[in-house]
């Protein structure tokens, strides 16, 4: 039988090791931690590296934790989580109810991340089209709302 794959793909660990070459303990932690454990940490760069690696493979691990990352305070984490869910296709369909709930949150970045996921999974997200359409009428969701023009997920 083939050897089991590590919980976190090695390329994410390589990305982390480039960021902090003097901290091999962080790399070792990343290689032995599950995605759920990594996403529960306070290190946004580690979260982004792990989410991006999973998105590149289309493999959705710890879906509930990934969904929680859509409302992370860091814009890059929100974006990486949205990209992973969008790349996961039908694997993400069971989460769309939770994703749609973010459309009515007070967080502009979470709303934007949720809208991206729902847009990417259009056919599965059809039951949530009215919530997405209502967001277009939200007076707080314009360029003056404070969202960063350079970041589609709001300011971090």
């Amino acid at each position: 039988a083939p050897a089991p794959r590590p919980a976190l793909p090695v390329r994410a660990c390589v990305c982390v090791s480039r960021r902090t070459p003097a901290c091999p303990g962080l790399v070792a932690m990343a290689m032995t931690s599950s995605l759920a454990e990594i996403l529960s940490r306070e290190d946004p760069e580690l979260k982004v590296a792990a989410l991006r690696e999973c998105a590149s493979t289309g493999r959705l691990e710890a879906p509930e934790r990934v969904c929680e990352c859509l409302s992370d305070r860091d814009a890059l984490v929100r974006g990486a989580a949205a990209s992973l869910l969008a790349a996961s296709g039908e694997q993400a369909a069971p989460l769309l109810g939770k994703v749609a709930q973010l459309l009515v949150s007070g967080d502009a970045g979470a709303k934007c991340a949720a809208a991206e996921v729902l847009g990417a999974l259009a056919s599965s997200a059809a039951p949530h089209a009215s919530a997405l359409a209502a967001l277009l009428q939200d007076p707080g969701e314009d360029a003056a709302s404070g969202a960063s023009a350079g970041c589609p997920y709001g300011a971090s």
Side-chain angles (χ1 to χ4, degrees):
R5 292 179 53 156
L8 177 69
V10 174
R11 277 194 293 165
C13 299
V14 170
C15 178
V16 172
S17 68
R18 287 187 190 133
R19 177 177 67 91
T20 54
C23 187
L26 180 60
V27 175
M29 180 275 302
M31 291 179 69
T32 59
S33 296
S34 69
L35 181 62
E37 290 174 85
I38 290 170
L39 296 181
S40 68
R41 299 188 185 278
E42 293 297 318
D43 185 342
E45 292 181 38
L46 183 58
K47 289 180 184 180
V48 168
L51 290 164
R52 286 182 177 165
E53 176 57 28
C54 289
S56 75
T57 65
R59 194 174 76 224
L60 181 59
E61 294 179 20
E64 296 292 328
R65 290 283 184 158
V66 174
C67 192
E68 290 169 10
C69 286
L70 292 174
S71 56
D72 194 274
R73 69 176 179 255
D74 187 276
L76 294 176
V77 173
R78 291 191 300 267
S83 294
L84 172 54
L85 290 172
S88 298
E90 291 304 313
Q91 295 177 70
L95 300 170
L96 293 182
K98 288 185 180 202
V99 172
Q101 289 174 354
L102 294 173
L103 295 175
V104 296
S105 75
D107 182 342
K111 288 180 183 182
C112 184
E116 179 184 333
V117 173
L118 293 171
L121 303 174
S123 60
S124 297
H128 308 289
S130 61
L132 192 54
L135 187 60
L136 296 173
Q137 304 302 317
D138 186 336
E141 296 305 310
D142 61 14
S145 69
S148 169
C151 179
Y153 301 101
S156 7

